[in-house]
Amino acid sequence: MRLILIRHGRQSSPLCNVDVDLSEVGRRQAELLAKRFNGFAPDRIYTSALVRAKQTAEILFGTEAGFHEREALNEISFGDMTGEADSRNAVLFPEYFAAKKKKEENLRLPGGECPTEVFDRALPVVREAIASGAETVVIVTHGGVIRALVAGLLGLGAGQMLRIADSLEHTSVTELWYSEAAGCFSLERLNDASHLEGKPELSRSAWAKG
């Protein structure tokens, strides 16, 4: 099975993990990826239950594609940081950000989830996809979920999530292959955002400056 993990386009609010629409930039990012896909039709498409992921999937594959929505694919819970600006969170939770810089294993967000909890809730969706018999499966989800899944599915342990892609671009493509004979996944590509090349205003670095 070919498993393609796609991060949603940029959201319309800079506040931490709020459930809002895509921004205009996020729509442009998704439209560029849709153009790159050029009619690509996976056998099965999953999305998180959050608006930005569902809107991204609709732009990529059309509103009639038949999505399997799963709350288990929602972004990692940011707990006490949810709805706050990054600058305020940095002041309120300096110990968390210091540990994050050190890539502390299985780091729990203040009042929120840790990577292994995210992996444990998302893994049944991956197992469902394998059991479906689909050859190509797409999951449109969030950065924390993608990083936890990659670390966990490769056997590194989901707790090593912070070692996967320091800067995961919006609408980036990460691809794994599941071997039934081996009973495991292999990584084919990570954080592929070639559809955004030549458009620096659509990159995460531009978002950080904004």
Side-chain angles (χ1 to χ4, degrees):
M1 183 186 76
R2 183 186 183 194
L3 178 63
I4 298 174
L5 308 175
I6 299 173
R7 189 181 184 194
H8 61 84
R10 187 175 301 165
Q11 66 187 41
S12 59
S13 171
L15 299 181
C16 184
N17 199 32
V18 288
D19 190 12
V20 295
D21 293 340
L22 292 176
S23 66
E24 285 305 311
V25 166
R27 291 183 178 278
R28 286 179 62 198
Q29 291 168 329
E31 288 164 359
L32 286 169
L33 181 56
K35 183 177 179 180
R36 175 183 170 190
F37 278 169
N38 191 28
F40 166 58
D43 301 310
R44 199 170 182 89
I45 305 167
Y46 291 91
T47 76
S48 90
L50 300 181
V51 172
R52 58 193 184 271
K54 292 189 287 185
Q55 289 180 338
T56 300
E58 289 173 356
I59 292 170
L60 294 178
F61 303 111
T63 58
E64 304 301 319
F67 304 114
H68 300 273
E69 181 182 316
R70 300 287 185 271
E71 289 186 2
L73 299 172
N74 286 5
E75 178 61 296
I76 186 171
S77 171
F78 280 73
D80 298 336
M81 298 198 298
T82 302
E84 299 286 353
D86 289 345
S87 57
R88 179 169 170 76
N89 282 329
V91 172
L92 292 175
F93 307 105
E95 292 182 357
Y96 166 78
F97 286 99
K100 185 178 180 182
K101 284 183 179 179
K102 296 179 181 178
K103 301 187 184 299
E104 183 176 300
E105 185 174 354
N106 209 32
L107 181 62
R108 181 179 298 278
L109 283 96
E113 290 181 296
C114 65
T116 54
E117 289 170 342
V118 176
F119 179 74
D120 287 345
R121 64 170 161 85
L123 181 59
V125 180
V126 175
R127 289 175 172 161
E128 177 187 328
I130 293 171
S132 75
E135 293 185 4
T136 303
V137 173
V138 165
I139 295 178
V140 183
T141 183
H142 307 267
V145 178
I146 292 171
R147 295 164 81 187
L149 279 175
V150 170
L153 292 176
L154 292 181
L156 303 175
Q160 298 295 343
M161 181 186 86
L162 294 177
R163 298 190 181 191
I164 305 295
D166 277 342
S167 181
L168 198 68
E169 291 286 348
H170 290 97
T171 65
S172 63
V173 177
T174 293
E175 182 176 347
L176 301 102
W177 282 81
Y178 177 73
S179 167
E180 186 173 349
C184 67
F185 280 89
S186 58
L187 181 65
E188 299 299 319
R189 52 178 167 160
L190 175 70
N191 197 23
D192 176 0
S194 56
H195 52 287
L196 304 182
E197 287 181 2
K199 298 176 177 61
E201 73 277 8
L202 302 183
S203 72
R204 279 182 59 81
S205 58
W207 167 257
K209 290 176 183 177

